[in-house]
Amino acid sequence: MINREDMLELTRRMTLARTSFTRIAGCYVDSDGDFEGSFNTNFLKISAPERTKKLKLAKEIPFSATNVNLKKYEFPQSMRKPGSMWQLLMAMNECGLKNDALMDTFYDLVMEKYHKNAAYAILVFHDRYDIPAKGSDGERQWESEEVFEYMICAICPMTGEYEPGKPECGFLFPAFTDRSGDLNHILIYQSDAERPRKEMMEILGMQEGGRGGL
């Protein structure tokens, strides 16, 4: 199960003043499912209005209803091997999204399976959160306990020219469990819990009712 407080700890920082997002990358896909362009840039170099818009989209994932719209899934040992989606996600995260070849591979895998007969955007955010230690009384200390590097992916329908709308699905990887990075799990978001985008599960190699909802 996902601890709501863990997610709130991440989302409280998703403001212009507090964000530690390092990078944003993404691509646009037209209504025929064809690639329409990509970008990859330092998050702090985009304009303040654009940062505000993009932060709102990224925040939708961890701020959603935990264990309803956002669920935890396990990457079993059999899925953590060379050539796996887990290995690709690990590599994307470790380089902070700076490797365009890795990003293009990821976009291709999404586009191959995600079909909606309408234009959409694939957005990927990278964050580096310096987790403050907590004392025995629960109060935060100044010193850092761990640096949690993670990605948020949001797949969003286009509402205008290069204007992504509210995410339909996405994920947060690695999972954030007990205020620590959890490389064996991923948090998957579905805007409509009753009618989930099954392509998202297929892309990530997960099966509903299998390794989900831990």
Side-chain angles (χ1 to χ4, degrees):
M1 298 286 285
I2 301 170
N3 185 328
R4 179 70 175 169
E5 284 304 312
D6 284 345
M7 296 299 98
L8 292 178
E9 181 169 348
L10 296 181
T11 58
R12 287 188 192 105
R13 301 167 41 262
M14 294 182 187
T15 67
L16 274 181
R18 302 186 66 192
T19 183
S20 56
F21 278 15
T22 64
R23 203 160 193 86
I24 179 172
C27 81
Y28 301 102
V29 185
D30 66 20
S31 57
D32 293 323
D34 295 325
F35 178 84
E36 205 174 48
S38 63
F39 64 92
N40 192 333
T41 188
N42 184 315
F43 190 77
L44 296 180
K45 288 187 177 180
I46 62 178
S47 68
E50 276 302 307
R51 287 204 306 276
T52 299
K53 289 180 185 177
K54 296 301 190 292
L55 280 167
K56 184 178 180 181
L57 295 177
K59 188 176 179 178
E60 286 282 350
I61 309 301
F63 196 63
S64 62
T66 49
N67 307 304
V68 179
N69 298 93
L70 187 69
K71 295 182 180 181
K72 181 187 283 189
Y73 293 82
E74 181 183 10
F75 277 111
Q77 185 64 45
S78 61
M79 294 175 64
R80 288 181 274 131
K81 57 188 178 182
S84 67
M85 174 56 75
W86 180 85
Q87 185 188 49
L88 175 60
L89 295 178
M90 287 288 291
M92 288 163 56
N93 193 45
E94 286 171 3
C95 74
L97 310 184
K98 292 181 180 179
N99 187 318
D100 284 328
L102 291 175
M103 300 311 300
D104 287 344
T105 297
F106 177 71
Y107 303 146
D108 286 344
L109 289 170
V110 174
M111 290 166 58
E112 181 183 337
K113 298 183 184 296
Y114 200 84
H115 304 294
K116 61 184 272 86
N117 299 317
Y120 65 92
I122 305 167
L123 305 178
V124 188
F125 305 82
H126 180 265
D127 192 11
R128 186 177 289 116
Y129 176 32
D130 204 0
I131 305 169
K134 284 189 178 180
S136 57
D137 58 359
E139 291 296 318
R140 294 190 177 194
Q141 311 296 313
W142 285 107
E143 66 269 19
S144 170
E145 197 167 66
E146 175 188 343
V147 177
F148 174 49
E149 290 196 52
Y150 69 100
M151 303 179 295
I152 290 177
C153 173
I155 299 182
C156 311
M158 301 301 289
T159 59
E161 188 173 5
Y162 299 111
E163 283 293 333
K166 182 179 176 179
E168 291 182 328
C169 59
F171 62 82
L172 187 155
F173 177 82
F176 190 53
T177 304
D178 297 329
R179 305 189 69 242
S180 182
D182 179 356
L183 299 176
N184 297 331
H185 292 88
I186 186 169
L187 307 184
I188 299 179
Y189 166 77
Q190 300 280 1
S191 63
D192 188 343
E194 298 300 317
R195 297 179 180 177
R197 297 291 305 208
K198 294 181 179 178
E199 305 101 305
M200 187 80 264
M201 309 298 293
E202 190 178 349
I203 290 162
L204 296 169
M206 300 294 168
Q207 291 185 351
E208 197 66 72
R211 290 281 182 169
L214 300 177

